Amino acid sequence: MLQDRHARERATVRELRSDRGFTFIEIMVVVAILAILAALVVPRIMGRTDDAKRTAAKVQIRNIEGALQLYKLDNGVYPSTEQGLKALVEKPSVGVIPKKWKLGGYIQKLPEDPWANPYKYLSPSQKGDYEIISLGTDGEAGGEGINADITNWNLDKD
C-alpha cells in the first residue's frame, strides 16, 4: 500500500512538472526570434507608406478623370478652371452653365489627395483639355522623388 502511495505521488509530481508552463529560456528564444523578424519586416513596411500614398493619389486622379469624361459626354465640354472640380459635385453657377448637368452630380464628393490637400484643376491646360494635379508629399509645385507632383499626365511614371 505504501508503494502504491509513493507511485501515485511520483506520478502527480511528474504531471505537475509537465504542466508548469514555459521556462525563462524558452520565452527568451521566442522573444529573440520575434525581434529578428521585426527587424527584417518593419523597415520594408515602413518605407512603403509614401509609395502607397502616391498610388492612392493616382487611383483618385483616375476616378476624377472618369467623372470628367461623363461630364463632357453630358455637356459637350469639360468644366472650366473657374468652375473647377466642384462642377462634378454641384451644378456650376459661373462660366458656361451646363444644360444637361446630371442631377446628383458625377461623384458624391471631391476627394482630397492622400496628404489632405485639394486636387488642383486646370482646363484648358498646356498639356491638353484638362490637368488634375496633386502637389505630392511636400504640398508645393514641382519637386522630385516623393515630393514630385502627380498629374493625370504622369500617372504611369515611377
Side-chain angles (χ1 to χ4, degrees):
M1 181 120 126
L2 190 58
Q3 288 178 340
D4 287 342
R5 184 172 170 225
H6 286 300
R8 275 185 274 150
E9 285 178 3
R10 280 186 289 213
T12 304
V13 169
R14 270 187 252 131
E15 287 176 18
L16 287 176
R17 284 187 183 156
S18 66
D19 291 342
R20 66 182 175 193
F22 298 107
T23 66
F24 180 71
I25 297 295
E26 291 169 329
I27 292 172
M28 291 307 296
V29 167
V30 169
V31 169
I33 291 170
L34 291 174
I36 291 169
L37 287 173
L40 294 172
V41 172
V42 169
R44 290 185 183 156
I45 294 171
M46 296 305 288
R48 305 286 303 195
T49 54
D50 289 325
D51 292 342
K53 285 184 176 184
R54 293 185 67 77
T55 300
K58 291 175 182 183
V59 168
Q60 287 177 335
I61 288 173
R62 283 192 177 102
N63 289 339
I64 294 169
E65 281 187 306
L68 285 168
Q69 296 301 324
L70 292 173
Y71 183 98
K72 185 178 181 186
L73 283 172
D74 287 349
N75 302 294
V77 295
Y78 291 108
S80 66
T81 300
E82 182 182 20
Q83 293 168 328
L85 293 173
K86 191 175 180 183
L88 299 174
V89 179
E90 300 172 2
K91 186 173 182 175
S93 57
V94 296
V96 177
I97 309 298
K99 293 183 171 96
K100 296 181 181 178
W101 191 83
K102 182 178 126 188
L103 187 62
Y106 296 89
I107 54 176
Q108 288 186 349
K109 75 175 216 173
L110 285 176
E112 290 184 328
D113 72 10
W115 301 276
N117 297 313
Y119 285 98
K120 308 286 183 209
Y121 174 75
L122 302 171
S123 179
S125 81
Q126 294 176 346
K127 296 185 177 185
D129 292 327
Y130 62 86
E131 189 169 6
I132 305 165
I133 306 162
S134 167
L135 297 177
T137 304
D138 62 358
E140 297 179 14
E144 294 181 16
I146 62 170
N147 293 326
D149 296 349
I150 303 165
T151 72
N152 57 306
W153 297 102
N154 71 0
L155 291 178
D156 296 326
K157 271 180 120 180
D158 67 13

